[in-house]
Amino acid sequence: RVVERLWSVDGCPAILITSMRTEASAWNDSDDDDEDCRRQRRLHDLAAAMQQRRRIAVLLHQQQRQPQQSHRKSAAFDWNQHMLRLTPDEFRARYRLDADAFYKLLQLVAADLEITDKVRACTKREGSAVCPATRLAVCLRFLAGGQVLDLKLIYQMSRFSIYACVWKGISAINKRLHIKFPIDDIAALEELERDFRAKSPYGVWAGQVGCIDGVHFSMLNPGAAVDNPKRYFVARKNECAILCIAICDAKRRFTYYDMNKAPTTHDSMAWASSPLGVKFANGELPQPFFINGDAAFSLSNSLITP
């Protein structure tokens, strides 16, 4: 390895050969030389060889020393440029809503997504403050199934910033976007009913204003974060989960949800004990409106099941 490195330096091969020849000549003096003369010549040649080796080492050291590369910051993510690269269909596939709905949601939550300390934000690795539109986009893309490693590359953010956008976005949406079933609004119920009727052949299906179902959202064991972690364990699925009872309209938009019951609760029981379920049981949904559910729910005047 040493020989290969020496030959890679300009000018070193001749020096190496010279040093080798000098050493060889130092040990191959003729027998006619006097012992003292041979000793002096040997010492002189060894000193010259050592000096030449030092010169080679200096050349190698200079060649191996390279200037330290400065940390190159990648270009900051530009939301406007990102929008120009996406078609309407690609935008909807990526964020699960169209651009108009995105900006409508952004108007509701923009104040909660603003950076409070922009000076500190600019000193981070991203080099600039993240705008509310980008923070909301990161949150929606994560909820749509985006992986953190991919989001880091797309939005030029650190892992910590990605999760900060996710939790900040969720808190802002929960704070500003209120979902309420319009049980007391006849006009809104009629609009929901028209959308469902338009979905049926020849408009024969009349009166429906919602579809109801229950779903388990799997999660990690909450541990010490709750009083009784075992309450969230579903034995038949062998996992911890949260039970959600939800209603959606004909366009698959949520109009109601309730997540207050244990995940081991049956769907019919969870619905019957929910605030809206109690109103339905008391007959507060005007006739002839009803919602539709599967066989997990109980048949009534306001809930039709198979």
Side-chain angles (χ1 to χ4, degrees):
R1 293 180 182 176
V2 174
V3 173
E4 290 177 355
R5 284 191 175 183
L6 295 177
W7 276 80
S8 65
V9 182
D10 294 339
C12 286
I15 298 175
L16 176 63
I17 294 173
T18 302
S19 63
M20 293 174 62
R21 288 178 178 175
T22 303
E23 291 183 41
S25 63
W27 295 103
N28 294 320
D29 293 329
S30 62
D31 296 337
D32 299 335
D33 292 340
D34 184 75
E35 183 67 25
D36 294 336
C37 293
R38 285 187 294 174
R39 185 181 297 108
Q40 292 178 359
R41 290 181 58 186
R42 189 181 304 123
L43 294 175
H44 179 271
D45 292 341
L46 287 176
M50 292 299 297
Q51 185 177 6
Q52 290 174 347
R53 289 185 177 182
R54 292 192 188 97
R55 292 175 182 174
I56 295 173
V58 171
L59 291 175
L60 289 175
H61 182 67
Q62 292 177 351
Q63 184 188 30
Q64 293 176 356
R65 290 185 61 187
Q66 297 179 356
Q68 185 177 4
Q69 296 182 355
S70 60
H71 179 70
R72 296 179 58 186
K73 293 184 178 180
S74 56
F77 177 81
D78 190 312
W79 173 253
N80 294 325
Q81 293 295 327
H82 179 70
M83 287 291 297
L84 293 176
R85 290 194 296 266
L86 298 178
T87 65
D89 291 339
E90 290 174 341
F91 187 93
R92 186 178 184 88
R94 183 182 294 269
Y95 298 110
R96 301 298 192 269
L97 74 172
D98 56 32
D100 293 337
F102 177 88
Y103 283 108
K104 184 178 180 180
L105 177 61
L106 181 61
Q107 290 180 353
L108 296 175
V109 301
D112 300 304
L113 298 180
E114 285 285 353
I115 300 294
T116 56
D117 192 350
K118 294 187 178 181
V119 176
R120 181 180 178 184
C122 293
T123 60
K124 293 185 178 181
R125 191 177 69 179
E126 292 81 4
S128 60
V130 182
C131 67
T134 302
R135 293 167 72 91
L136 179 60
V138 171
C139 177
L140 295 179
R141 183 62 193 141
F142 178 85
L143 297 177
Q147 299 296 316
V148 175
L149 294 178
D150 297 331
L151 298 182
K152 288 174 59 178
L153 296 177
I154 296 173
Y155 300 102
Q156 299 298 328
M157 292 184 184
S158 64
R159 182 185 182 92
F160 175 83
S161 297
I162 292 294
Y163 280 113
C165 291
V166 170
W167 290 115
K168 195 75 174 180
I170 291 175
S171 298
I173 293 173
N174 289 334
K175 179 181 178 181
R176 302 294 181 180
L177 190 62
H178 303 290
I179 299 177
K180 181 180 179 182
F181 187 83
I183 191 172
D184 301 323
D185 191 341
I186 299 298
L189 292 173
E190 290 176 346
E191 183 178 356
L192 293 174
E193 193 273 340
R194 282 194 300 269
D195 292 339
F196 276 105
R197 180 153 35 92
K199 293 287 186 179
S200 65
Y202 308 106
V204 298
W205 186 256
Q208 183 173 351
V209 293
C211 293
I212 186 172
D213 201 359
V215 61
H216 277 126
F217 294 122
S218 61
M219 66 174 184
L220 299 176
N221 190 323
V226 296
D227 295 334
N228 184 15
K230 295 182 179 179
R231 181 174 181 264
Y232 297 90
F233 182 74
V234 183
R236 62 187 178 88
K237 295 188 176 182
N238 195 30
E239 64 180 4
C240 292
I242 296 177
L243 174 63
C244 177
I245 300 295
I247 300 176
C248 69
D249 62 8
K251 297 179 181 179
R252 295 181 293 181
R253 298 175 302 185
F254 288 105
T255 57
Y256 179 78
Y257 70 93
D258 182 80
M259 305 172 68
N260 294 320
K261 301 301 180 291
T264 53
T265 307
H266 194 270
D267 287 354
S268 60
M269 294 293 296
W271 163 246
S273 59
S274 66
L276 185 62
V278 173
K279 292 183 178 181
F280 271 55
N282 294 334
E284 297 185 27
L285 180 66
Q287 296 295 327
F289 302 119
F290 64 89
I291 60 175
N292 190 16
D294 58 19
F297 297 91
S298 302
L299 178 66
S300 66
N301 292 334
S302 57
L303 201 162
I304 304 300
T305 61

